[in-house]
Amino acid sequence: MSIPRLNEDEVEQLPPDIAKKARALLLSLVRPHLPMAIFLFVIVVLTALFLVIGPIFIADALDNGVPKAVEGDPGPLIRAVSAFVISAIASAVLAFASTRLVGITAQKVVYTLRSRLFGHIQRLDLGYHERSTSGRLVSRQTSDMESVQQFLTYSLFDTALALFEMTFIAVTLIVLDVPLAIVVFLGFIPLFFITKSAHTSQRNAYRRTRTSIAKVIVHFVETMGGIRAVQAYRRQPDRRGTLKDEDTAYRDANTDALRGVAWFAGWTRLVGNVTQTVIIIVGAWLVIEDWTQVGVLAAFILYLRRFYGPLDELVQSFNLYQSASAALEKMAAVLDTDPEVVAPTRPRALPAHSSHQSSGATSAADPSSKPSGRSIELNHVRFSYGDGPDVLPRFDLRIPVGEIVALVGATGAGKSTLVKLVTRFYDPSEGRITIDEVDLRDLDDAQLRQSVVMVTQESFLFAGTIADNIRIGNPDAGDDEVIAAATAVGLDPYIRNLPEGYDTDVKKRGGRLSSGQRQLVSFARVFLANPDIVVLDEATAHLDIPSERLVQKALATVLEGRTAIIIAHRLSTVEIADRVLVMDSGRIIEDGTPDELISGAGKFAQLHKAWRDSLV
Ligand SMILES: Nc1ncnc2c1ncn2[C@@H]1O[C@H](COP(=O)(O)OP(=O)(O)OP(=O)(O)O)[C@@H](O)[C@H]1O
Ligand SMILES: [Mg+2]
């Protein structure tokens, strides 16, 4: 059996007007640098002018300077050569200035884009992240960003320069000699059609390269994330096979794109060379007939090199441009996604705690203040994920201040869904959820996150020290508060045994924590955050009896004085609850104190008996 393959196209559908959105995004990024952009524009024009002016001095040197010098007057020749040298130096100085300024500006633009994208990804609701794969977002931030950066840094300016240079050359050619200029322009008719057809096919090819590199990254990120499962089930050959397929698709997309480039380069070179040949023949004839001068013909040949030279550069730039615009489209699509859970326009605050009015609403962040719970109420709540079936068909529940509720029920009953609603990771499809009478949708986001803390099953540890990881609960907490929190949950003795105590790096060898210890870190975070409401999705992982005791004791300490909803997978957790709710298919089927339910004849009584039996 093979591991199901992620289909990037399934999870990602670009909106139809994405090209427009990508342009708008680019414009918004460039707008703050408008004065610099205008300055660079002037530099481009000047550079192109100096490049184009050079051959005119050479023509002048040949047609006027040399004959005059032969006659004994070297003045015009010296003047023409000096002018050529000066224009060459000026264009070198401008080239330095422009490359430097483009470098600085492009990096600023990419920096803004990078932070805007990251900020937006973080703001997107949990639903979005549960639907999409993290690898896809990783590829937005890495390979796509790289592509945009390459284009802005290396080819935008060069493209503009090439275009101006070609325009100025065209004007100069007309001024120098109209019939010869017409021959050159005739060569542009096939070039126009070649460019046009290349543009469409290249765009599609480059879109494919962006999509396929994203798939490669998705697969890579997923394999690394699931490396335990991959190794445990010996799925390496299978994963490698899939990666090979994705890599093949990426290689083919790139090969196709490059084939287009090769055709384009070949055709332009051919047209350029044919034109040059025709110019030499026609030009020689014109010189013989005395309709034009040798210097003009020499200038024409020099200009033709310059005229078709930038075309090669344009091909390269065109490449990067296609790739970058496909990447920008993908980023624009992410930025265009609005979070479904939106912050209120006119946020309301929770009422101040009656027990310690003076400290007001901010007391939640102050770990020294005594915790006080808040009431939670769900009114006629209906919920489904997207267009899926109702997970909670109609839910009503009232949890008074300070009550500890244990939630039990079969897998898929909707327990995690319920707590994701109470913590406002999702909004209900219908009905309302209130905390102390304030609808979650109206509640100030900062206060919501301060008052309601969810402890997740995975107890995620970030790179850094143990102290840093505990401090996530309250970034302003001092060292003594961190130690107090660790002590309160019984983690302190373990930390002191680690090689560098609180400064031990959790990702390094010697700093690794067991799953029980990781849970204690989460509890210490809660202790520091000091919320009114704690929501806990208990880890199902089986702890040994001493660890379980330790975790249970810590839990009781953390919950003291707060309102809590705990999804309980352990009997010992249910025992510290004031009330037990048994859920089944999104409904409450039993509701009472642990003792009431145990002595009854319902589901919980059966469950309890099974638990008891498993312990002996
Ligand atoms: N992100 C999601 N998108 C779509 N459906 C989901 C999502 N999360 C859960 N569901 C569905 O909602 C239902 C309830 O899931 P939920 O996670 O709330 O169950 P649970 O009671 O927490 O189960 P468990 O004890 O196994 O954790 C399930 O049928 C599940 O398939
Ligand atoms: Mg669950």
Side-chain angles (χ1 to χ4, degrees):
M1 202 204 79
S2 72
I3 295 177
R5 194 128 124 234
L6 261 168
N7 187 351
E8 160 90 356
D9 308 318
E10 248 170 43
V11 282
E12 178 168 48
Q13 263 171 10
L14 294 179
D17 56 344
I18 194 63
K20 212 172 102 199
K21 293 212 161 100
R23 271 198 301 276
L25 170 62
L26 188 62
L27 211 65
S28 77
L29 288 168
V30 172
R31 198 168 295 133
H33 305 286
L34 210 56
M36 178 55 87
I38 292 170
F39 185 59
L40 281 170
F41 182 82
V42 173
I43 290 193
V44 167
V45 174
L46 285 179
T47 311
L49 267 178
F50 277 114
L51 284 174
V52 172
I53 240 168
I56 294 181
F57 296 132
I58 293 201
D60 185 45
L62 287 177
D63 290 336
N64 300 318
V66 174
K68 288 263 168 62
V70 170
E71 287 164 16
D73 175 16
L77 182 61
I78 292 171
R79 269 199 298 280
V81 172
S82 311
F84 180 74
V85 170
I86 289 170
S87 75
I89 292 173
S91 66
V93 170
L94 285 173
F96 168 77
S98 61
T99 311
R100 186 84 186 90
L101 292 176
V102 164
I104 294 169
T105 316
Q107 298 320 305
K108 280 186 187 161
V109 167
V110 173
Y111 175 87
T112 312
L113 179 60
R114 201 185 281 283
S115 55
R116 203 195 281 184
L117 191 65
F118 187 70
H120 191 78
I121 288 171
Q122 282 201 314
R123 256 194 310 281
L124 284 170
D125 54 296
L126 191 67
Y128 178 88
H129 290 288
E130 285 182 347
R131 280 192 303 276
S132 57
T133 54
S134 56
R136 195 160 65 89
L137 294 174
V138 170
S139 77
R140 291 304 89 92
Q141 288 276 37
T142 54
S143 74
D144 287 343
M145 196 63 78
E146 189 66 28
S147 169
V148 171
Q149 177 164 2
Q150 289 253 332
F151 174 69
L152 291 180
T153 314
Y154 299 113
S155 70
L156 183 58
F157 185 84
D158 290 347
T159 310
L161 182 60
L163 289 175
F164 276 109
E165 211 183 329
M166 288 172 76
T167 313
F168 290 152
I169 290 176
V171 173
T172 316
L173 293 184
I174 294 173
V175 172
L176 282 176
D177 194 300
V178 175
L180 278 182
I182 290 174
V183 175
V184 174
F185 297 153
L186 284 179
F188 262 70
I189 297 170
L191 277 185
F192 172 77
F193 289 105
I194 293 165
T195 315
K196 205 167 165 247
S197 89
H199 178 69
T200 328
S201 68
Q202 291 295 88
R203 190 177 55 201
N204 293 336
Y206 276 103
R207 278 186 179 159
R208 257 175 60 218
T209 65
R210 299 319 325 158
T211 310
S212 51
I213 186 63
K215 279 189 193 172
V216 171
I217 295 176
V218 163
H219 186 74
F220 190 76
V221 168
E222 205 192 29
T223 306
M224 295 301 106
I227 193 73
R228 284 186 188 80
V230 170
Q231 293 192 344
Y233 294 100
R234 285 194 33 79
R235 292 287 86 190
Q236 295 95 326
D238 187 52
R239 300 303 286 179
R240 229 175 97 191
T242 314
L243 186 68
K244 245 185 176 156
D245 293 349
E246 311 290 23
D247 271 341
T248 309
Y250 179 50
R251 180 197 65 197
D252 292 348
N254 264 323
T255 312
D256 281 357
L258 291 171
R259 184 178 53 206
V261 175
W263 273 103
F264 190 55
W267 274 111
T268 51
R269 191 63 60 82
L270 182 67
V271 172
N273 288 344
V274 168
T275 315
Q276 207 154 351
T277 315
V278 174
I279 286 291
I280 291 174
I281 295 168
V282 175
W285 177 64
L286 290 177
V287 171
I288 290 165
E289 296 290 328
D290 223 8
W291 282 326
T292 193
Q293 290 167 298
V294 149
V296 170
L297 180 58
F300 253 82
I301 292 177
L302 283 178
Y303 277 130
L304 274 188
R305 284 245 151 264
R306 285 264 165 87
F307 205 36
Y308 287 98
L311 272 182
D312 272 1
E313 242 161 60
L314 279 183
V315 176
Q316 287 299 326
S317 303
F318 189 53
N319 241 341
L320 284 172
Y321 162 75
Q322 297 278 12
S323 179
S325 66
L328 203 63
E329 283 178 1
K330 300 232 162 199
M331 289 188 225
V334 174
L335 289 171
D336 193 45
T337 313
D338 292 322
E340 278 167 27
V341 175
V342 284
T345 38
R346 263 185 284 146
R348 282 182 60 189
L350 288 172
H353 285 297
S354 46
S355 51
H356 35 99
Q357 292 270 357
S358 54
S359 50
T362 50
S363 69
D366 175 10
S368 59
S369 74
K370 262 212 157 88
S372 32
R374 292 191 183 272
S375 67
I376 306 169
E377 197 163 348
L378 285 88
N379 261 319
H380 303 341
V381 167
R382 182 182 73 77
F383 179 77
S384 63
Y385 289 97
D387 310 325
D390 282 353
V391 175
L392 304 177
R394 188 192 161 102
F395 208 89
D396 290 286
L397 176 66
R398 197 187 140 69
I399 302 174
V401 178
E403 190 170 73
I404 298 176
V405 174
L407 215 53
V408 297
T411 176
K415 307 180 294 292
S416 297
T417 306
L418 178 68
V419 301
K420 280 191 275 187
L421 287 171
V422 171
T423 43
R424 204 179 176 220
F425 284 119
Y426 286 88
D427 278 331
S429 315
E430 265 173 46
R432 54 188 230 129
I433 301 173
T434 55
I435 289 180
D436 274 359
E437 315 288 319
V438 179
D439 194 317
L440 286 186
R441 277 177 288 218
D442 298 331
L443 185 55
D444 174 61
D445 192 58
Q447 209 186 13
L448 169 68
R449 296 299 157 213
Q450 212 168 62
S451 311
V452 185
V453 163
M454 166 131 148
V455 183
T456 50
Q457 286 175 329
E458 74 255 41
S459 303
F460 192 85
L461 295 181
F462 293 89
T465 65
I466 300 253
D468 294 339
N469 266 287
I470 296 176
R471 220 185 303 262
I472 283 170
N474 177 6
D476 302 327
D479 288 344
D480 42 340
E481 287 168 286
V482 170
I483 295 172
T487 310
V489 300
L491 186 62
D492 185 68
Y494 295 102
I495 299 178
R496 296 208 182 267
N497 269 334
L498 289 170
E500 289 163 72
Y502 282 84
D503 295 327
T504 307
D505 193 314
V506 291
K507 299 267 157 147
K508 288 226 182 89
R509 270 183 69 185
R512 301 263 175 222
L513 300 182
S514 72
S515 53
Q517 289 164 345
R518 278 211 303 274
Q519 276 186 32
L520 295 184
V521 170
S522 321
F523 292 165
R525 281 177 188 162
V526 177
F527 210 82
L528 273 192
N530 195 22
D532 302 316
I533 298 170
V534 176
V535 168
L536 188 138
D537 206 340
E538 195 174 60
T540 37
H542 205 80
L543 296 173
D544 55 38
I545 302 290
S547 311
E548 174 162 345
R549 283 233 178 85
L550 192 75
V551 169
Q552 233 44 257
K553 213 172 130 234
L555 186 59
T557 314
V558 166
L559 297 185
E560 204 178 283
R562 309 181 208 274
T563 308
I565 304 178
I566 303 165
I567 299 177
H569 293 288
R570 287 192 280 261
L571 181 58
S572 49
T573 308
V574 178
E575 280 166 354
I576 60 169
D578 302 312
R579 178 180 172 193
V580 178
L581 296 177
V582 183
M583 275 184 77
D584 184 43
S585 312
R587 284 169 225 275
I588 298 173
I589 53 167
E590 283 170 44
D591 180 354
T593 65
D595 290 342
E596 277 167 21
L597 295 188
I598 292 166
S599 54
K603 246 217 162 87
F604 186 72
Q606 287 167 21
L607 201 62
H608 187 262
K609 189 172 175 309
W611 263 333
R612 274 254 167 268
D613 292 348
S614 73
L615 288 179
V616 289

